[in-house]
Amino acid sequence: MAGRQLNLHWVLHLLCVLLTVRTVSGASGPSTGTHTSPEFPASGVNQTPVVDCRDVYGLNASDRCDFIRTNPDCHSEGGYLDYLEGIFCHFPAHLLPLVITLYAFWLLYLFLILGVTASKFFCPNLSAISTMLKLSHNVAGVTFLAFGNGAPDIFSALVAFSDPHTASLAFGALFGAGVLVTTVVAGGIAILRPFTAASRPFLRDIVFYMVAVFLTFTALYLGRVTLPWALGYLGLYVFYVFTVVLCTWIYQWQRSRSLVYSMPGTPEMLSDSEDDRVSSTTNSYDYREECQPLLFYQESTAQILVQALNPLDYRRWRYKPAYWRVLKSFKLPVEFLLLLTVPLVDPDQENRNWKRPLNCLHLVISPLVVVLTLQSGAYGVYEIGGLFPVWGVVVIVGTALAAVTFFATSNSEPPRLHWLFAFLGFLTSALWINAAATEVVNILRSLGVVFQLSNTVLGLTLLAWGNSIGDVFSDFTLARQGYPRMAFSACFGGIIFNILVGVGLGCLLQLSRGHVEVKLEPDGLLVWVLAGALGLSLVCSLVSVPLQCFQLNKVYGFCLLLFYVNFLVVALLTEFGVIHLTSM
């Protein structure tokens, strides 16, 4: 009996060796980048080897389409369009420059969609939710509003973490945006308007951000993220929120005790009068007051619907420069589509922006958009019992709710449950952002295959620049208007949320799908250059700013800009192999 067990063990061992030899021999050939994905093993005995999709250029032009369609590494986890198949299967090779140009314009338009959705629909609904929940400004600022401002970065990271081949894209984007914001944006603010930084908020935020970067660096070194590690990211962010609230309370308590001990040169937060000046500066002219009707009249339901779906204010159009009109022309289709599909609750507008015909229409269209954008429409087209699709049920239920709401409410007064539309608008706008972010990640990965670039360099350049362009303009505008301290504080508060919640929640979602751990595959030396550059910039700021007594001048700003330029040069030289590690 023992001999039989020994022979059986020997036979099984021999079979394992033969299978291993077969896999290795099948991997040998024109490509040297063959590997079997350890994260998602195929079911059964015949496990298909996964070849790096960038090896497509090592094949003949006639074989590239079949390679793209059959290689699992070239397939995306989500999205509506297959960009690699479009390049290699639907267009001839001599039209590649035209295809890349079209993809580049579509990528820019996707960034525009992300910005419009986040700024005009996602953030206002989050602000309305925080107002209804009666959260303080500080708690809302580091939770809901930080989520709204960092929505493109967060959703891009969640989409990138859903596929192990694009996880490096998420790290490249989060680290790249961190380097960009802490150098270019912070340096630009110091150049535009030299100021005295708030000491305690600056030290608090930079220390927390350094801890977050160290956690990510350690996770990359270990090559995996486990459940306790992912929960540690989210727990650190909760502790950061608690620290912000506690520091603000202590500061207000000290100021109320005695004005002698207050520090007017380095305030923790702006007073209400300063907030009012910001709003009055940004909205210096109210165009709605220009053409008010002399006699009051009751608008019809059709007029309310047409006016609510009109994204263009003709009175503002006349006063705006040409570049604004051109940009607005590109925004109009996106804004119209979002007005039609996303409810918007705004406490600052009359009747909290209650538009009865449009809001009733939202009860039908918004749930339909939710099921058709969730998992790229996989749930929406699912047939219940093989007979009726889910989207049909959603339309029937939404139509019934819309009919009841229409006949039970009036045009002049919002209903008591109007606040529920804020949650529906939050969910719908979040899924619109997620859908656009999925397409952005897929396009960037396709461009990486075409140009033979790593996901890390695409993340630290195109994805980081695209997601941070809104922060750059808003912070620079605040600095020009005389509020550099507020803009400088926003530089660190937003990126702390992005890296902690982006990495923590992205990995947690993957772990919730049954994976024991999330495998991380750094793209060689470049990701370490990126992490080291971010850590070095934070250490330099932590040392130099207190040495300057928190007086940030133009010299400091130009030094930060020079640091970013040097970082980009080193990163690109590393990507193209000029800088590399010598093998021992």
Side-chain angles (χ1 to χ4, degrees), residues 463-517:
L463 188 56
W465 294 342
N467 288 339
S468 302
I469 191 68
D471 298 331
V472 173
F473 282 115
S474 60
D475 291 340
F476 283 0
T477 301
L478 280 174
R480 290 194 195 97
Q481 292 174 352
Y483 301 95
R485 188 179 293 113
M486 179 192 296
F488 189 76
S489 299
C491 292
F492 292 94
I495 54 180
I496 292 174
F497 178 87
N498 292 346
I499 191 170
L500 289 178
V501 178
V503 178
L505 188 58
C507 294
L508 189 62
L509 290 177
Q510 285 302 103
L511 293 171
S512 65
R513 297 176 181 176
H515 304 297
V516 179
E517 58 186 18

Side-chain angles (χ1 to χ4, degrees), residues 143-307:
T143 53
F144 283 104
L145 297 184
F147 187 26
N149 294 332
D153 303 273
I154 295 298
F155 283 101
S156 298
L158 296 182
V159 172
F161 275 116
S162 64
D163 187 348
H165 303 104
T166 57
S168 57
L169 187 66
F171 285 111
L174 293 174
F175 281 169
V179 178
L180 178 70
V181 170
T182 56
T183 56
V184 175
V185 179
I189 293 171
I191 293 173
L192 290 174
R193 186 66 65 95
F195 66 102
T196 301
S199 58
R200 287 178 294 179
F202 170 78
L203 295 176
R204 176 197 65 210
D205 291 345
I206 199 171
V207 168
F208 268 97
Y209 192 48
M210 290 177 68
V211 173
V213 172
F214 176 76
L215 286 178
T216 309
F217 185 89
T218 306
L220 286 172
Y221 178 77
L222 297 175
R224 65 183 185 275
V225 174
T226 58
L227 180 60
W229 202 270
L231 294 176
Y233 274 96
L234 300 179
L236 181 61
Y237 181 71
V238 172
F239 181 64
Y240 170 71
V241 174
F242 173 77
T243 305
V244 170
V245 175
L246 181 62
C247 292
T248 305
W249 180 82
I250 293 175
Y251 174 77
Q252 291 177 343
W253 178 76
Q254 290 178 344
R255 188 174 61 176
S256 62
R257 291 269 299 184
S258 175
L259 293 178
V260 177
Y261 295 100
S262 65
M263 305 266 310
T266 58
E268 175 96 14
M269 53 186 293
L270 290 176
S271 63
D272 295 335
S273 60
E274 289 174 317
D275 290 333
D276 294 337
R277 290 205 305 270
V278 172
S279 61
S280 63
T281 304
T282 55
N283 301 302
S284 58
Y285 186 81
D286 191 358
Y287 298 94
R288 293 176 298 178
E289 296 179 356
E290 182 181 303
C291 301
Q292 293 291 342
L294 297 178
L295 299 176
F296 177 77
Y297 71 97
Q298 187 72 28
E299 290 182 324
S300 65
T301 301
Q303 289 176 329
I304 294 176
L305 179 61
V306 172
Q307 184 179 1

Side-chain angles (χ1 to χ4, degrees), residues 8-22:
L8 180 61
H9 176 75
W10 183 86
V11 170
L12 291 176
H13 180 72
L14 179 61
L15 287 175
C16 291
V17 172
L18 291 175
L19 287 174
T20 305
V21 172
R22 181 181 178 184

